Amino acid sequence: MKRKLIAATGVAAMVASVAACGSGEGGSDGGSADSITVWLMQGSAPDEWLDELNSAFEEEHDVKVNVEIQEWNGIQERVTTALSEDGTVDVLEVGNTQTPAFADSTGLADLTDIRGDLGYDDWYQSTLATVEFDGALYAAPWYTANRAVIYDKDVWAEAGAEVPTTREEWVEALQLIEDNTEFEPIYMPGQNFYVFAGFVWDEGGDFAVEDGDAWAGALNTPEGRAAMEFYAELQSFSDSPTDNDEASPQQATEVIPQSQVATWIGLPWQAEAAIEALEEAGRDADYGYFPIPGKTADTLGSVFLGGSNLAVAERAGDKELAQEWLRMATSAEWMTKFAEATPMLPNQEAALPETEPGSFVEVMGETAEYGDFFPLAPGWANVEVVPNPIKEMMTAALDGADYESAATTADAEITERINRD
């Protein structure tokens, strides 16, 4: 069954860093009657928004908000430790594919009784899969972002290519660019498994499925094969090696400024970074943006959605104040201000900012309802650690290995890791 959502782990790490009062690297003595401690990830919250929010909260409740900025690297271990201690943290940002694991460990407070006060009915319904666990609410959705196709409008015009509405039209446009320009039609790393994930979901497949009380890898299927075949078709238009991903090297700041690339797939801040890098190199880029096309014109392609939730620690020093801070931070009023200051999508439609036609934010909004996510299993984080079996399977398949054999190997590794405590 296809699951929709607006959020997942990891995107905040790529946004510009922020400074906040009381920021630090680790935990503290936690909240008390006159203070609360909030853990946010590096780069998640604009400093002006956070300062204004905390000033309003402190004035209203006569308390101090201590914000501690955390790095994504090693965060799962730090959060696990903090949630096992009394009063170390009151409110924390959690990558939403991490949320089920922390809820399952009883580290997060049950917010079900106050979900009406939190604006539950106003959130995008697609966000609920990552904030609810076993029928209870354990977090509030905060922000999301998703990938779109970034294209050089001048090169596409030179090639006579038009913005596609289907996969078939997309391939035809890339062929026109290859035949009529000197540009690389698309930069497609061999291991961009976030993009590959959308093709898997388009085909009706998934990376793992529930098998009784456990999970089992699910790539060795007709759906997985079809997704890999389409990925390989796109990748054939790219000069990229088959064993790198979008971050190694960084496509926006290392590859694009040094190459003649007509099309690539990225996140909003990556597009901004590429434009800045091109300008520094003395080059112009008139970029346009369009959703990843679907198999037919009446549906867009599925996308992996990234973002974070906000939760309250079960062992918070002051749970009521923590809940009130969470309510305020994720309200329509403050999410509107948040969305105006970031390239992210807010947790509800009422907070969407005015956008220019054709902007990246507008495209993300169009695509959001086609978002999907990796299996919400407590052990999924084990799958994504290096070496990532999905990436290894993709490289093997692109290099000519038998898909069934490569997918069987990947499925065995996914099954072992996802069921690991």
Side-chain angles (χ1 to χ4, degrees):
M1 179 178 67
K2 186 161 179 84
R3 297 158 296 178
K4 305 272 188 166
L5 121 133
I6 295 188
T9 68
V11 288
M14 302 176 212
V15 191
S17 62
V18 300
C21 61
S23 64
E25 284 299 323
S28 70
D29 290 335
S32 65
D34 57 4
S35 71
I36 61 170
T37 297
V38 177
W39 279 18
L40 298 179
M41 303 309 301
Q42 181 78 19
S44 289
D47 51 356
E48 292 184 5
W49 176 85
L50 191 58
D51 288 344
E52 185 182 357
L53 169 69
N54 287 336
S55 293
F57 186 85
E58 290 172 348
E59 181 177 355
E60 181 175 343
H61 296 279
D62 193 26
V63 297
K64 176 69 174 177
V65 180
N66 299 310
V67 176
E68 298 184 357
I69 302 301
Q70 305 291 323
E71 299 287 343
W72 280 104
N73 187 31
I75 189 59
Q76 187 149 330
E77 293 79 8
R78 291 199 301 280
V79 169
T80 298
T81 299
L83 293 179
S84 70
E85 301 169 343
D86 290 332
T88 296
V89 60
D90 295 285
V91 182
L92 65 158
E93 176 183 349
V94 185
N96 50 5
T97 55
Q98 296 172 336
T99 306
F102 293 130
D104 187 44
S105 70
T106 69
L108 304 182
D110 187 338
L111 306 175
T112 307
D113 289 344
I114 63 166
R115 67 182 191 175
D117 294 334
L118 293 175
Y120 178 93
D121 292 335
D122 298 324
W123 298 336
Y124 286 112
Q125 293 300 296
S126 52
T127 65
L128 302 183
T130 63
V131 296
E132 294 182 313
F133 184 76
D134 283 348
L137 181 69
Y138 287 96
W142 190 16
Y143 64 80
T144 181
N146 58 67
R147 289 165 173 78
V149 182
I150 303 163
Y151 73 104
D152 189 315
K153 291 191 284 188
D154 292 336
V155 177
W156 276 57
E158 177 186 346
E162 298 182 354
V163 172
T165 60
T166 65
R167 285 186 181 181
E168 183 179 3
E169 291 177 358
W170 192 11
V171 171
E172 290 172 354
L174 297 179
Q175 188 65 58
L176 283 172
I177 294 167
E178 183 167 82
D179 293 342
N180 296 291
T181 78
E182 298 299 318
F183 278 69
E184 180 179 354
I186 188 171
Y187 177 72
M188 178 71 81
Q191 296 185 347
N192 194 333
F193 85 114
Y194 297 109
V195 174
F196 173 63
F199 302 154
V200 172
W201 297 322
D202 280 346
E203 299 293 342
D206 212 334
F207 291 86
V209 295
E210 291 184 86
D211 183 16
D213 293 332
W215 290 78
L219 285 171
N220 185 19
T221 60
E223 294 80 11
R225 179 187 291 275
M228 192 67 237
E229 288 175 351
F230 181 63
Y231 190 96
E233 185 173 16
L234 292 179
Q235 213 274 333
S236 70
F237 288 99
S238 178
D239 297 333
S240 170
T242 62
D243 61 351
N244 66 338
D245 61 24
E246 74 286 354
S248 302
Q250 288 287 345
Q251 59 179 9
T253 56
E254 296 180 60
V255 176
I256 302 304
Q258 299 174 17
S259 308
Q260 299 289 326
V261 174
T263 319
W264 52 292
I265 300 171
L267 292 156
W269 53 89
Q270 291 176 331
E272 293 174 359
I275 292 170
E276 291 178 4
L278 285 165
E279 290 176 349
E280 291 176 1
R283 295 170 55 191
D284 294 326
D286 185 11
Y287 278 149
Y289 313 99
F290 61 83
I292 293 175
K295 298 179 72 174
T296 62
D298 59 357
T299 183
L300 299 179
S302 299
V303 290
F304 170 74
L305 295 165
S308 285
N309 300 327
L310 289 173
V312 172
E314 174 61 27
R315 302 175 73 169
D318 195 317
K319 195 178 294 185
E320 290 186 3
L321 275 176
Q323 291 173 347
E324 181 59 22
W325 190 93
L326 183 149
R327 183 203 63 77
M328 191 176 203
T330 59
S331 67
E333 175 187 356
W334 288 96
M335 287 308 304
T336 299
K337 295 179 180 181
F338 179 88
E340 290 171 347
T342 73
M344 308 294 193
L345 289 176
N347 63 5
Q348 55 193 286
E349 186 175 1
L352 281 171
E354 291 291 330
T355 58
E356 296 181 5
S359 68
F360 206 120
V361 172
E362 182 182 68
V363 171
M364 284 199 301
E366 294 174 3
T367 310
E369 287 304 315
Y370 297 88
D372 214 324
F373 50 96
F374 297 110
L376 291 175
W380 177 257
N382 299 324
V383 176
E384 295 193 33
V385 300
V386 178
N388 184 318
I390 303 166
K391 292 183 177 183
E392 292 190 329
M393 182 213 73
M394 294 173 67
T395 294
L398 291 171
D399 287 346
D402 175 69
Y403 179 80
E404 182 176 355
S405 175
T408 297
T409 300
D411 282 344
E413 186 67 17
I414 290 170
T415 300
E416 190 281 324
R417 292 190 190 190
I418 201 171
N419 292 307
R420 191 185 301 165
D421 291 335

